[in-house]
Amino acid sequence: MLATLTGLGLSTAAGLNAYIPLLVVGLAANFTDAVRLPEGYAWLAEWPVLLIIGVLLLAELVLDKVPVVDHVNDIVQTAVRPAAGGVVFSATAAAAELEGSAWMADHPWVGWLLGIALALVVHLLKAAARPVVNATTAGVGAPVVSTVEDAGSIGISLIALFVPVLVVVVLLLFAVAAWWVIRAVRRRRRTARAARGGP
């Protein structure tokens, strides 16, 4: 159960920033006992891979804070973030074998599917919220919101690895955030239609 919560938390973090949970998992596998990567995922802890992830993370940290560029970045990340979610879920939830779960070991695609789906949902919420933030703050809010998202990705990744039971709280908070984003997007669309004189 805890391994699954870890996978869910890391996938959520990947939806905000693809590279932070990958880097956290790789570093944790090198320096702590919190992560024991299965044989097929040992590459995630190799230093050349971590260096590449670090470079991609630096690029993401810059691009995501520039209005308009952040939208283009979100389009590109529509493929990257869910893939990262699948990787981190599988790399850590596959450790469910340590909890005696032979089912997860026999059905590794379940971890991939859950990780991809959760990261995609979080990514789509992030991508939907950003235009609202940019429009209502004339772009000034983009770097602030991006920094909060990055901090959230780090925090969620650490919670998922070291206090996985709190992932339940994180998921509840995301459900509330999803409700707020959907309402804000609908309100913005209604306002835009009214300004054009549409129905």
Side-chain angles (χ1 to χ4, degrees):
M1 178 64 180
L2 291 179
T4 301
L5 288 175
T6 294
L8 291 172
L10 290 168
S11 298
T12 300
L16 293 173
N17 187 307
Y19 309 112
I20 287 174
L22 290 172
L23 195 60
V24 168
V25 167
L27 291 174
N30 275 308
F31 294 112
T32 74
D33 293 327
V35 175
R36 282 177 277 177
L37 295 171
E39 188 175 329
Y41 295 92
W43 57 268
L44 192 52
E46 294 176 2
W47 288 107
V49 172
L50 292 175
L51 181 61
I52 291 169
I53 293 172
V55 170
L56 292 171
L57 174 58
L58 287 176
E60 165 86 357
L61 291 176
V62 174
L63 295 175
D64 197 49
K65 290 170 178 59
V66 181
V68 181
V69 176
D70 63 346
H71 179 65
V72 176
N73 182 55
D74 278 338
I75 292 172
V76 173
Q77 293 294 325
T78 300
V80 178
R81 289 174 187 150
V87 169
V88 290
F89 191 104
S90 297
T92 53
E97 294 176 58
L98 300 174
E99 297 178 2
S101 175
W103 193 86
M104 279 296 284
D106 293 338
H107 302 86
W109 59 268
V110 174
W112 272 94
L113 190 60
L114 284 172
I116 288 169
L118 186 54
L120 180 61
V121 167
V122 174
H123 164 72
L124 292 175
L125 287 170
K126 167 185 162 68
R130 189 57 68 83
V132 175
V133 171
N134 287 344
T136 56
T137 65
V140 176
V144 176
V145 172
S146 178
T147 301
V148 170
E149 290 166 352
D150 294 336
S153 185
I154 293 170
I156 295 167
S157 296
L158 294 175
I159 287 171
L161 289 181
F162 299 107
V163 199
V165 70
L166 291 182
V167 169
V168 175
V169 176
V170 170
L171 294 176
L172 288 173
L173 290 174
F174 264 102
V176 173
W179 173 78
W180 180 86
V181 168
I182 290 168
R183 284 192 61 192
V185 169
R186 286 179 176 169
R187 193 181 316 119
R188 182 169 178 252
R189 286 177 180 165
R190 282 196 302 268
T191 303
R193 280 198 302 265
R196 291 194 305 265

